[in-house]
Amino acid sequence: QKEVEQDPGPLSVPEGAIVSLNCTYSNSAFQYFMWYRQYSRKGPELLMYTYSSGNKEDGRFTAQVDKSSKYISLFIRDSQPSDSATYLCAMSEATDSWGKLQFGAGTQVVVTP
Amino acid sequence: GAVVSQHPSRVICKSGTSVKIECRSLDFQATTMFWYRQFPKQSLMLMATSNEGSKATYEQGVEKDKFLINHASLTLSTLTVTSAHPEDSSFYICSASDFSYEQYFGPGTRLTVT
């Protein structure tokens, strides 16, 4: 069993819709939870990170962490075609720095005009 | 700020040869650098972690004699794939971290071994 599970998609949504992404994990020691966006053949770009449980909002993006359920989510409101990319969740056990990151497989998102 | 570059962006080499990939932090000092490998439609898999001036720490299953990592300065780490074979063809991505929490990723290097 993988430590981090993420549906690879693809997830296709019309422009303006809400994109809902999620990951589940098995390691209760994870403390930091991140979401990265990766365009084809490019390196990952950090979107948001959360420490421990809770919600965090940044513009059109909202990240949620439920440690009791070992479940994290990312919501993208008012989706745009430029949001079409692969979204990776990542997690870290470290408490003083991110250190080693454990990634999910990534979900491919396609936003159609 | 926090820009990480990789060179080359793409390389094709013949089986049995060695290939060096550079990872540079352009505007910050990277105390730690990480090397990942990503196969098509798969996630990033950490290969090794290196701290400036120290030997790299390799993940289980990664051959340290095949994937040589050098982190000689606070802005440069290199990954050398020795005696490359077609199964080493992959997308190699580095990331760098300073004293903050975040890891900053490079754009990746696509290696094709023929």
Side-chain angles (χ1 to χ4, degrees):
Chain A
Q1 182 188 7
K2 296 179 183 177
E3 276 195 296
V4 181
E5 297 279 357
Q6 185 177 10
D7 188 333
L11 177 63
S12 183
V13 300
E15 183 176 357
I18 295 176
V19 176
S20 176
L21 303 165
N22 59 76
C23 291
T24 59
Y25 63 94
S26 56
N27 185 352
S28 58
F30 286 138
Q31 298 281 355
Y32 283 95
F33 304 89
M34 306 85 172
W35 285 96
Y36 287 86
R37 177 173 62 195
Q38 186 177 25
Y39 292 109
S40 181
R41 305 189 181 205
K42 301 290 184 183
E45 169 195 11
L46 180 68
L47 290 174
M48 298 180 70
Y49 74 89
T50 310
Y51 176 71
S52 194
S53 285
N55 296 352
K56 189 172 185 179
E57 188 172 320
D58 184 1
R60 296 186 296 116
F61 299 91
T62 299
Q64 293 182 350
V65 174
D66 182 349
K67 290 189 73 177
S68 62
S69 301
K70 297 189 179 66
Y71 186 90
I72 70 170
S73 302
L74 177 71
F75 300 96
I76 307 173
R77 290 182 299 280
D78 188 25
S79 58
Q80 305 295 312
S82 57
D83 294 326
S84 298
T86 296
Y87 291 80
L88 299 152
C89 64
M91 306 177 189
S92 168
E93 290 185 26
T95 55
D96 56 351
S97 68
W98 288 359
K100 176 180 175 180
L101 296 181
Q102 192 72 41
F103 281 87
T107 299
Q108 183 185 1
V109 172
V110 179
V111 181
T112 55
Chain B
V3 178
V4 176
S5 70
Q6 280 185 244
H7 177 80
S9 59
R10 176 177 290 188
V11 58
I12 301 173
C13 70
K14 292 188 176 181
S15 185
T17 62
S18 295
V19 174
K20 180 184 286 188
I21 302 170
E22 291 186 350
C23 176
R24 292 182 185 272
S25 57
L26 299 185
D27 51 3
F28 68 99
Q29 293 186 326
T31 53
T32 306
M33 286 187 169
F34 304 83
W35 286 95
Y36 294 83
R37 182 167 52 183
Q38 186 178 33
F39 292 106
K41 297 191 183 295
Q42 294 188 27
S43 187
L44 281 75
M45 297 298 296
L46 181 66
M47 299 174 66
T49 303
S50 72
N51 293 297
E52 185 263 339
S54 303
K55 287 185 179 181
T57 301
Y58 291 81
E59 294 300 302
Q60 190 173 7
V62 178
E63 299 175 58
K64 61 180 181 180
D65 294 330
K66 181 170 184 60
F67 299 99
L68 301 179
I69 292 172
N70 184 283
H71 191 167
S73 77
L74 285 171
T75 59
L76 173 66
S77 177
T78 60
L79 167 68
T80 301
V81 183
T82 62
S83 186
H85 289 94
E87 57 266 30
D88 298 324
S89 298
S90 187
F91 193 50
Y92 292 87
I93 306 175
C94 71
S95 70
S97 177
D98 55 15
F99 292 105
S100 69
Y101 291 95
E102 187 170 344
Q103 284 184 32
Y104 306 96
F105 283 83
T109 296
R110 183 160 303 281
L111 170 64
T112 303
V113 184
T114 60

